[in-house]
């Protein structure tokens, strides 16, 4: 085990041992110990026993299993007391250290070839995400944090399930209409203008500075103007997305078109290849990684632009409208439900672009090394 892994195991063991002797929670005026809940008692004792030999190698499965069991107990125990005391928070710290130890041990096992990267590599981000949710749930409920400040994940999930029709309508309005259409137009126009600039020095001198100017325009200044020009429906939001996605595609495509080496271009001239033959057979394939880099950047910019644009006017539907209106009612759980839906939609959109990139640029060294 590395020094970091020994430290993590040691902290987890000390936290579990201390949780046995300190008050666990309080219900009314009564303080409860871990001894009052036999599942927690057993868990803490087993954890201490398992980590007594932390100087030796701790298998990642043992650390992961203890982390998962502890997380379940920590979340399940929230209903047995009004708020957590020192023992509860030490148990939570122990669970966090065990999850961290699991990630460290599994990463080492993958590096040393003890286990295959697929599918074991996906367990690390899953454990990390689950640890954040458990910590969030434990802190908000165990410390009685007001919902208006930070609602618990369970409350956000309940609100999401209870308002699926409303969230679905917002998703269609914002993502399927404004984001996707504006994304396609903005990236397509940026790519076409980059080809035109590459073909014509005159256009390069005239259009490139104009593109720099457009990229510097503030979003909160553009959005109300687009609403005045294109109306309150999704068209104005798509126009904002076009403006936001145009420049990244433009500059990345221009950089990609200049990425091919001089030897390759000389070889194409030796074969008497014209501009368009060189473009399609050499320069565009070389520019593909740059183009997909712009597509990935724009996949997040498009969603941000559409949501912010809806703050300035929309036909009472859309993610941005819902966030703006519900925060005014202090319905924070609904706001977080919209944020969660937007985060999932943006992540899936980015993931789809990455999959397309791997299929198209399978020959590129960065893709080949990532698939190894």
């Amino acid at each position: 085990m590395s020094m970091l892994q020994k430290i993590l195991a040691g902290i987890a063991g000390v936290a579990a041992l201390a949780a046995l002797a300190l008050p666990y929670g309080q219900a009314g005026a009564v303080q409860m110990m871990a001894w009052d809940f036999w599942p927690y008692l057993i868990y803490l004792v087993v954890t201490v026993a398992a980590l007594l030999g932390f100087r030796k190698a701790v298998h990642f499965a043992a650390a992961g299993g203890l982390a998962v069991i502890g997380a379940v107990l920590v979340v399940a125990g929230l209903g047995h007391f009004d708020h957590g005391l020192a023992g509860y928070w030490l148990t939570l710290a122990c669970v966090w250290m065990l999850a961290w130890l699991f990630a460290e041990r599994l990463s080492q096992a993958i590096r040393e070839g003890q286990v295959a990267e697929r599918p074991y590599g996906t367990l690390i981000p899953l454990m990390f995400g689950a640890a954040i949710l458990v910590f969030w749930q434990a802190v908000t409920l165990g410390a009685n944090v007001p919902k208006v400040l930070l609602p618990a994940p369970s409350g956000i999930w309940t609100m999401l399930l209870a308002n699926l029709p409303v969230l679905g309508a917002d998703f269609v309005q914002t993502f399927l209409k404004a984001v996707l259409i504006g994304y396609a137009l903005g990236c397509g126009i940026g790519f076409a203008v980059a080809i035109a600039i590459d073909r014509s020095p005159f256009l390069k001198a005239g259009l490139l500075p104009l593109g720099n100017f457009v990229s510097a325009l503030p979003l909160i200044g553009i959005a109300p103007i687009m609403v005045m020009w294109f109306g309150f429906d999704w068209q104005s939001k798509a126009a904002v997305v076009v403006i936001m996605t145009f420049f990244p595609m433009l500059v990345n495509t221009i950089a990609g078109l200049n990425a091919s080496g001089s030897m390759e271009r000389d070889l194409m001239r030796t074969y008497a290849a014209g501009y368009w033959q060189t473009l399609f057979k050499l320069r565009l394939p070389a520019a593909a990684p740059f183009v997909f880099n712009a597509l990935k950047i724009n996949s997040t910019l498009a969603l941000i632009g559409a949501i912010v644009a809806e703050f300035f006017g929309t036909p009472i539907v859309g993610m941005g409208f819902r966030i703006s209106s519900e925060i005014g009612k202090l319905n924070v759980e609904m706001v977080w439900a919209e944020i969660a839906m937007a985060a999932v939609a943006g992540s899936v959109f980015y993931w789809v672009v990455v999959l397309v990139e791997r299929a198209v640029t399978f020959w590129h060294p960065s893709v080949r090394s990532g698939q190894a």
Side-chain angles (χ1 to χ4, degrees), residues 76-99:
L78 292 170
H80 296 119
F81 43 77
D82 298 332
H83 61 273
L85 296 180
Y88 178 78
W89 300 117
L90 285 170
T91 303
L92 179 62
C94 174
V95 172
W96 185 271
M97 292 297 105
L98 288 170

Side-chain angles (χ1 to χ4, degrees), residues 155-177:
I156 298 172
W157 177 252
T158 302
M159 181 66 69
L160 193 150
L161 294 180
N163 294 274
L164 283 178
V166 175
L167 294 172
D170 294 341
F171 175 79
V172 171
Q173 175 73 14
T174 301
F175 191 84
L176 297 185
K177 292 182 179 179

Side-chain angles (χ1 to χ4, degrees), residues 224-262:
I225 295 175
M226 294 298 103
V227 170
M228 295 295 294
W229 286 1
F230 298 100
F232 287 92
D233 210 344
W234 61 267
Q235 291 87 347
S236 57
K237 288 65 182 178
V240 173
V241 174
V242 169
I243 294 174
M244 291 193 66
T245 57
F246 169 77
F247 186 71
M249 176 57 72
L250 175 66
V251 295
N252 275 276
T253 304
I254 291 175
L257 291 173
N258 295 323
S260 57
S262 57

Side-chain angles (χ1 to χ4, degrees), residues 58-143:
V58 177
H59 196 273
F60 69 86
L66 288 173
V68 171
I69 295 172
V72 172
L73 290 175
V74 164
V75 173
L78 292 170
H80 296 119
F81 43 77
D82 298 332
H83 61 273
L85 296 180
Y88 178 78
W89 300 117
L90 285 170
T91 303
L92 179 62
C94 174
V95 172
W96 185 271
M97 292 297 105
L98 288 170
W100 192 350
L101 179 60
F102 164 78
E104 289 289 334
R105 293 294 297 152
L106 181 56
S107 299
Q108 181 179 357
I110 292 175
R111 290 194 305 269
E112 295 176 354
Q114 299 176 12
V115 295
E117 183 175 359
R118 295 182 181 179
Y120 287 98
T122 58
L123 293 178
I124 297 176
L126 288 177
M127 178 68 80
F128 182 76
I132 291 178
L133 290 176
V134 169
F135 185 80
W136 184 355
Q137 181 82 4
V139 170
T140 50
L141 296 183

Side-chain angles (χ1 to χ4, degrees), residues 256-300:
L257 291 173
N258 295 323
S260 57
S262 57
M263 294 182 61
E264 290 86 351
R265 292 194 296 269
D266 290 341
L267 179 62
M268 295 297 292
R269 284 193 293 268
T270 300
Y271 289 137
Y275 172 82
W276 295 109
Q277 288 178 311
T278 304
L279 178 67
F280 286 108
K281 295 183 178 180
L282 172 63
R283 303 183 67 199
L284 281 182
F290 294 83
V291 173
F292 277 102
N293 184 50
L295 290 174
K296 289 185 289 187
I297 294 173
N298 286 340
S299 66
T300 56

